[in-house]
Amino acid sequence: MLFMPLVGAAVGEYWAQRDQQRAAKVAVTTWLGLLVGLVAKDVLSFVVVGIVLAALWL
């Protein structure tokens, strides 16, 4: 599940443009965007849990 967006983006871009370098660049960019989004969601969820615990503690 972690690498399928990379494969899907590469295959889709290659079918659309027939350019292997562009397809690889789009695939890596898509995968990095997915990872950044995942990290951001994790950080925000920990912040929310921390705020809730702080509110309950005080």
Side-chain angles (χ1 to χ4, degrees), residues 13-31:
E13 186 65 26
Y14 184 74
W15 279 351
Q17 301 293 326
R18 300 288 184 206
D19 183 4
Q20 189 174 9
Q21 284 183 330
R22 180 173 169 87
K25 185 176 179 181
V26 167
V28 169
T29 305
T30 300
W31 190 67

Side-chain angles (χ1 to χ4, degrees), residues 40-50:
K41 283 189 257 183
D42 286 346
V43 167
L44 288 174
S45 66
F46 281 117
V47 168
V48 168
V49 168

